[in-house]
Amino acid sequence: MTQTKPHAVIIGAGSGLSAALAREFRADYTVTLAARSGDRIRAVAAETGARTVLLDATDEAAVAALFDGLPAAPRLVIYNPSARVRGPVAELSVDAVRRAVDVTAIGALIAGKHAARRMLAADPVDGRRGTILFTGASAGVKGFAQSAPFAMGKFAQRGLAESMARELHPQGIHVAWINIDGAILNPGRTEPADAPGSMLRPEAIALSYRHLVQQDRSAWTSELAIRPWVERF
């Protein structure tokens, strides 16, 4: 008998980290990639055999439809989108800030809500219903000058993940927030000539996500910081 693979949903798919995550999990999961632009995910889907869905991560109806359209509850959900608005706080557009926070924080809430809704309705396997991971950044731990909107979104996202972990861990859903504290070597980027190996490789980050998914529930991690080896503390 052929065993059906569990479902994984990666929201905010692109050619960097999301593509590495799709490659990492494709052997064990049926992967769905969701993003606003089809151009960003078409090549990744062709390579990994993933299903694609176009949606705005801040549109709750669209996100709910994505999860309801899965033939079974997802076992893995990863939320990657974020938005930045740079500038002096005295000159920021409130509307632009609101849109950025909507993507980083409200979108994370929407994805977390509907992922949890489907997972909670499913029968646990070995006491586990699934894993929900949020891709964070150092801005969720420390705010930087002229980057208040990004810090607002990532601090909110981090608080969301911690609250969800406290609520959902006892119900068999592993929730974690990953602080990507460094520049990712995405396609098109190059490392400084005097600092080879100083940027985070997407495939290496994806291995850390896999480790979170595979953790024994007696020792679940709720927050993980990933930094390049040259980081000065």
Side-chain angles (χ1 to χ4, degrees), residues 100-161:
V101 173
D102 275 351
V103 172
T104 306
I106 301 302
L109 169 64
I110 293 170
K113 169 186 174 178
H114 290 285
R117 175 175 61 81
R118 287 288 326 253
M119 289 178 180
L120 288 170
D123 293 330
V125 177
D126 296 328
R128 304 173 59 138
R129 287 187 165 92
T131 304
I132 302 172
L133 303 177
F134 297 99
T135 298
S138 51
V141 179
K142 52 188 177 183
F144 295 91
Q146 299 198 14
S147 189
F150 193 51
M152 291 166 64
K154 287 301 182 183
F155 264 83
Q157 189 186 79
R158 184 186 181 201
L160 166 69

Side-chain angles (χ1 to χ4, degrees), residues 38-76:
D39 293 338
R40 298 182 64 189
I41 61 176
R42 192 170 293 114
V44 180
E47 176 190 350
T48 61
R51 169 175 171 258
T52 61
V53 175
L54 297 182
L55 58 76
D56 177 348
T58 66
D59 182 342
E60 183 173 8
V63 175
L66 163 65
F67 283 102
D68 287 337
L70 297 174
R75 294 282 295 175
L76 172 62

Side-chain angles (χ1 to χ4, degrees), residues 83-102 146-150 152:
R84 297 173 183 260
V85 177
R86 299 184 183 276
V89 69
E91 300 174 13
L92 289 172
S93 161
V94 173
D95 286 340
V97 172
R98 184 177 289 115
R99 288 193 294 272
V101 173
D102 275 351
Q146 299 198 14
S147 189
F150 193 51
M152 291 166 64

